[in-house]
């Protein structure tokens, strides 16, 4: 994220202007993003759907594709639920580990060893902690 680069990057040229920018944006980074209740519910809705797809899928390629999408959506929900900034690509796992190394490990360990049943169970556990499943009647 550009804000992380601004605040944590190595200064090549900056001086006073860079110092002022860093001072002004430090609190924004520390405060984290604020997701609305509706946005969090919409994310829980997507995760609920993906979780059901993973449990129902029998084709190995489909199961893995759904599992990795489910990881991404779950990691984003966990971070946003706790007002933490997201990342894409390699930065999403990094943000997840920075946030809570133990929960990041618990989520990723079964996925990385290919135990998609245990991974689905862990996602379900995290989904409950974030407010639970969202299904029928939800309007996006």
């Amino acid at each position: 994220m550009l804000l992380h680069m601004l605040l944590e990057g190595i200064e090549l040229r900056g001086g006073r202007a860079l110092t002022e920018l860093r001072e002004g944006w430090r609190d924004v980074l520390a405060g984290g993003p604020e997701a609305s209740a509706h946005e969090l519910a919409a994310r829980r809705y997507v995760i609920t759907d993906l979780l059901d797809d993973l449990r129902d899928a029998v084709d190995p390629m489909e199961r893995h594709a759904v599992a990795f999408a489910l990881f991404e959506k779950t990691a984003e929900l966990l971070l946003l639920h706790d007002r933490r900034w997201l990342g894409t690509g390699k930065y999403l796992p990094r943000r997840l580990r920075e946030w809570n190394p133990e929960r990041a490990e618990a989520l990723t360990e079964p996925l990385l060893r290919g135990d998609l049943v245990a991974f689905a169970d862990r996602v379900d556990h995290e989904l409950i902690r974030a407010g639970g499943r969202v299904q029928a009647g939800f309007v996006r």
Side-chain angles (χ1 to χ4, degrees), residues 91-127:
Y91 291 102
L92 183 59
R94 289 179 184 182
R95 297 289 172 248
L96 196 60
R97 286 182 181 129
E98 289 169 3
W99 164 69
N100 190 314
E102 294 80 21
R103 284 173 69 185
E105 176 67 19
L107 180 65
T108 58
E109 191 274 330
L111 177 62
L112 294 177
R113 69 178 154 82
D115 187 346
L116 300 184
V117 172
F119 173 67
D121 291 343
R122 187 61 198 187
V123 169
D124 202 26
H125 173 80
E126 292 294 351
L127 184 58

Side-chain angles (χ1 to χ4, degrees), residues 24-120:
W25 286 98
R26 196 168 316 278
D27 290 340
V28 172
L29 183 64
E34 187 170 341
S36 70
H38 186 78
E39 179 183 352
L40 293 174
R43 288 174 178 275
R44 291 181 10 242
Y45 177 85
V46 169
I47 291 168
T48 299
D49 186 50
L50 286 169
L51 190 54
D52 290 344
D53 286 349
L54 179 60
R55 291 192 192 278
D56 293 341
V58 293
D59 179 90
M61 185 185 302
E62 289 177 9
R63 287 177 49 85
H64 282 84
V66 170
F68 284 104
L70 187 55
F71 167 77
E72 181 179 38
K73 298 301 182 186
T74 303
E76 290 175 352
L77 175 66
L78 297 178
L79 292 169
L80 285 174
H81 189 262
D82 200 37
R83 294 192 61 160
R84 301 295 178 130
W85 293 104
L86 305 180
T88 58
K90 65 185 179 184
Y91 291 102
L92 183 59
R94 289 179 184 182
R95 297 289 172 248
L96 196 60
R97 286 182 181 129
E98 289 169 3
W99 164 69
N100 190 314
E102 294 80 21
R103 284 173 69 185
E105 176 67 19
L107 180 65
T108 58
E109 191 274 330
L111 177 62
L112 294 177
R113 69 178 154 82
D115 187 346
L116 300 184
V117 172
F119 173 67

